[in-house]
Amino acid sequence: MPTSSVSGLKSYIFEFPSADSADANMPQQLDESRIDKQWTTERRKVLNLTKAEYAALRAQLDKVDGVKYGENRVVTVPEKTSPEIVDPQGRGATGAKPLDDGYEVHEANVLHAMGVRGASSANAPVVAIVDTGIGENSELKHVEGVKDAFDHKWYNRIDKHGHGTHCSGTIGANGRVLGMAPEVHEVGFRVLDDRGYGTDASVLQGLDDAKEYFLGHGQKPMVISMSLGDDP
């Protein structure tokens, strides 16, 4: 699971209102090895600090408007989830209701009867799945790609854990299983690793990626799905 790479230190996030604010208020004498460069951006600094160093920096930043900070906590999902939306026995997803030719997610029929299916149109929302990614699955017809927060690359499909694929299917499956909104388009943002672990910093990077996608695609409405928890 993700931990600080330096013994005796903890990982902390500092979010500044601007890059100029970050440059002006970051401690200049800080050793480069204390900066987690994987997740640090112009406005967000992820640092490995002792408790005393964190307390001192907090006291300094409390005098600066618009700065947010906190521990960079571990974020996780349940143990490996089967990426199969229809299981080998054909029972469908958890709680799925049998149909004549397949299954629908539990109580999705209530929405479908109201005509709510996430129908594709110029203003139809896109659902961002912020999770372990979205993998290959014949039940998923409208996945536009997956942005990986760890390497900053786009993939057609990627999910070696399964939880993100499961969540994607619950929302948008459109095959033998019908999800809550089977005609909606989905985009994956991979913020958890193959074991289902990430941090607040990786999730924030995924949200940045989702915002960038939103701004670059005509600012279509976007729903963000995050079925995440912390490490017990």
Side-chain angles (χ1 to χ4, degrees):
M1 93 186 43
T3 59
S4 171
S5 60
V6 184
S7 178
L9 305 179
K10 274 193 172 183
S11 180
Y12 298 95
I13 302 174
F14 300 86
E15 190 91 18
F16 293 86
S18 67
D20 288 343
S21 176
D23 291 340
N25 293 290
M26 282 293 295
Q28 300 302 313
Q29 72 278 13
L30 188 67
D31 192 305
E32 284 276 321
S33 66
R34 300 289 197 91
I35 302 172
D36 187 339
K37 295 182 179 179
Q38 181 175 18
W39 305 117
T40 287
T41 66
E42 289 184 344
R43 293 178 53 246
R44 181 181 306 123
K45 307 303 177 183
V46 183
L47 309 178
N48 294 314
L49 304 173
T50 65
K51 288 184 177 181
E53 289 170 334
Y54 176 56
L57 187 52
R58 277 176 45 186
Q60 172 189 328
L61 294 178
D62 280 343
K63 303 171 186 176
V64 181
D65 290 337
V67 180
K68 300 177 182 179
Y69 49 76
E71 186 177 340
N72 184 26
R73 301 164 300 178
V74 172
V75 178
T76 189
V77 291
E79 292 184 7
K80 283 212 170 188
T81 307
S82 170
E84 296 298 324
I85 295 167
V86 176
D87 70 22
Q89 288 74 42
R91 291 191 298 262
T94 302
K97 176 183 176 183
L99 299 175
D100 290 342
D101 58 352
Y103 300 83
E104 64 186 4
V105 173
H106 183 58
E107 295 188 352
N109 62 307
V110 177
L111 291 175
H112 300 166
M114 297 167 60
V116 178
R117 298 175 61 89
S120 300
S121 71
N123 293 317
V126 173
V127 176
I129 308 294
V130 180
D131 209 288
T132 59
I134 303 176
E136 293 289 347
N137 193 291
S138 61
E139 306 292 320
L140 301 175
K141 302 293 196 296
H142 306 300
V143 176
E144 298 184 4
V146 180
K147 178 72 177 288
D148 193 328
F150 293 88
D151 64 14
H152 308 292
K153 295 180 181 178
W154 278 99
Y155 296 87
N156 288 330
R157 303 286 180 95
I158 182 172
D159 184 6
K160 296 183 179 179
H161 181 278
H163 188 265
T165 305
H166 169 80
C167 293
S168 173
T170 300
I171 295 169
N174 192 346
R176 287 182 293 165
V177 170
L178 293 180
M180 303 297 288
E183 295 175 26
V184 78
H185 283 235
E186 297 176 305
V187 184
F189 295 93
R190 181 177 179 265
V191 301
L192 306 181
D193 63 20
D194 295 348
R195 298 172 299 160
Y197 281 95
T199 62
D200 287 334
S202 64
V203 173
L204 288 170
Q205 180 60 55
L207 293 175
D208 284 348
D209 292 339
K211 178 181 178 181
E212 181 181 9
Y213 180 90
F214 169 79
L215 294 174
H217 287 75
Q219 299 189 34
K220 294 198 301 185
M222 177 173 281
V223 175
I224 294 182
S225 168
M226 296 196 301
S227 179
L228 311 174
D230 57 4
D231 191 46

